Amino acid sequence: MPRTAILGLGQYLPERVVTNDDLAKMFDTSDEWIRQRTGISERRYVEDGTGPADLAVPATKQALENAGLELEDIEFIIFATLNPDYFFPGSGCILQDKLGVPGIGALDVRAPCSGFIYGLSAADAFIKTGMYKRILLVGAEVHSSGLEFADRGRDLTVLFGDGAGAVILGATEKDEGILSTHLHADGRYAKDLWMEIPAACYSPRLTKEHMDEGRHYPKMNGRKVFKMAVEKLPKVINEALDANGLAIDDIDLLVPHQANLRINEFVAQKLGLPPEKVYNNIHRYGNTTAGSIPIALNEAIQEGRAKKGDTIMLAALGSGFTWASCLLKL
Ligand SMILES: CC(C)(COP(=O)(O)OP(=O)(O)OC[C@H]1O[C@@H](n2cnc3c(N)ncnc32)[C@H](O)[C@@H]1OP(=O)(O)O)[C@@H](O)C(=O)NCCC(=O)NCCS
């Protein structure tokens, strides 16, 4: 059976930099509070009229160039996002149109912060069964158009940023690529990090009352998310190590979801991983959700922190709650 290798990576971050001080001019927060609790210094926001599929286009082109492949080489698209361009159809279809490759299949993955790893897992299965040889997997988010820039939403608003990461995945017979993926979810916690409105279970799906109550903004139980992340991430990382008969020292680099620097520090400490074996770039971009792991992995490679042949662990937890890990050899 072939393995699934990452053939190329790309990313796109919007140009507009929004610092913590910029946010402090809009609502009651401070650079000090945000840095101390989250590690974030700044994030990027799109200009109005830009959706996640728009961010995915340059990320995809860069990933293709990095892989030395052409658009025509892509046989299938997987688009991971919690912020689809529209309620329907999926952003995979919107991206496919923007790329100009009509006809190939396009699947959206809605497993928020774990979306990129869920997408990797799906792509891995498609490739291993021989259904496709080359898959484009994108994680892209535009959060800024849906955040509440007021005291009520400040706990969540300061965390998130816009951005996209993309990988081209392909079949390989070499000793490289995805070793295993491990996916979990627990829907009992769905409302601990969610956006309720618009909702198909209400008619109409969006009313003035909903908006007056702010139910169209994302809501989060920050402490619960933090607690779950520091509990589940070490477990799902160990699950991947056990499945491959490896120990923590065998990992060259952990590339975790970028939700909160403190979460990643706790996780590394629990696992006994030294800081130099954990990649973080949350200070620059905040939490770009499905985009965070491909962007972090791409930057880790560009900075020489991850290189060909390294054993890399990816891990994420977020809304759902969903959590997941992927062990791969670059
Ligand atoms: C959000 C998070 C940073 C909040 O930190 P915390 O230590 O739990 O803070 P609390 O929620 O207890 O709030 C502490 C105080 O800070 C205030 N506060 C909340 N957000 C604030 C902000 N952006 N700026 C300033 N003060 C803020 C609260 O109102 C509270 O004030 P009070 O003590 O007067 O009531 C933290 O819970 C966290 O990171 N959780 C995980 C979130 C996450 O990763 N989400 C994405 C998952 S994919």
Side-chain angles (χ1 to χ4, degrees), residues 29 33 37 113 154-155 158 220 222-223 225 257 259-260 287:
T29 191
W33 193 97
R37 310 266 176 147
C113 304
R154 65 180 179 171
D155 58 328
V158 300
M220 172 181 77
R223 290 192 167 195
V225 177
H257 171 47
N260 183 322
N287 179 348

Side-chain angles (χ1 to χ4, degrees), residues 305-316:
R305 297 272 307 273
K307 50 191 183 317
K308 195 87 197 136
D310 278 358
T311 302
I312 310 284
M313 179 73 75
L314 312 178

Side-chain angles (χ1 to χ4, degrees), residues 60-69 168:
T60 298
K61 292 193 171 154
Q62 200 182 86
L64 278 169
E65 201 182 314
N66 186 238
L69 293 169
I168 310 295

Side-chain angles (χ1 to χ4, degrees), residues 119-135:
L120 274 180
S121 188
D124 188 34
F126 282 135
I127 286 174
K128 276 185 178 148
T129 57
M131 190 158 168
Y132 300 113
K133 284 200 185 62
R134 302 237 197 283
I135 295 178

Side-chain angles (χ1 to χ4, degrees), residues 14-24 26-27 34 40-47 144 149 157-158 160-162 283-286:
E15 279 173 23
R16 188 172 147 216
V17 176
V18 177
T19 64
N20 295 340
D21 286 332
D22 292 333
L23 295 182
M26 294 185 251
F27 51 87
I34 300 170
I40 300 166
S41 305
E42 57 189 45
R43 72 285 294 140
R44 305 293 182 92
Y45 286 176
V46 298
E47 301 302 332
S144 58
F149 293 94
T157 297
V158 300
F160 291 94
D162 304 338
H283 53 289
R284 285 198 288 276
Y285 307 131

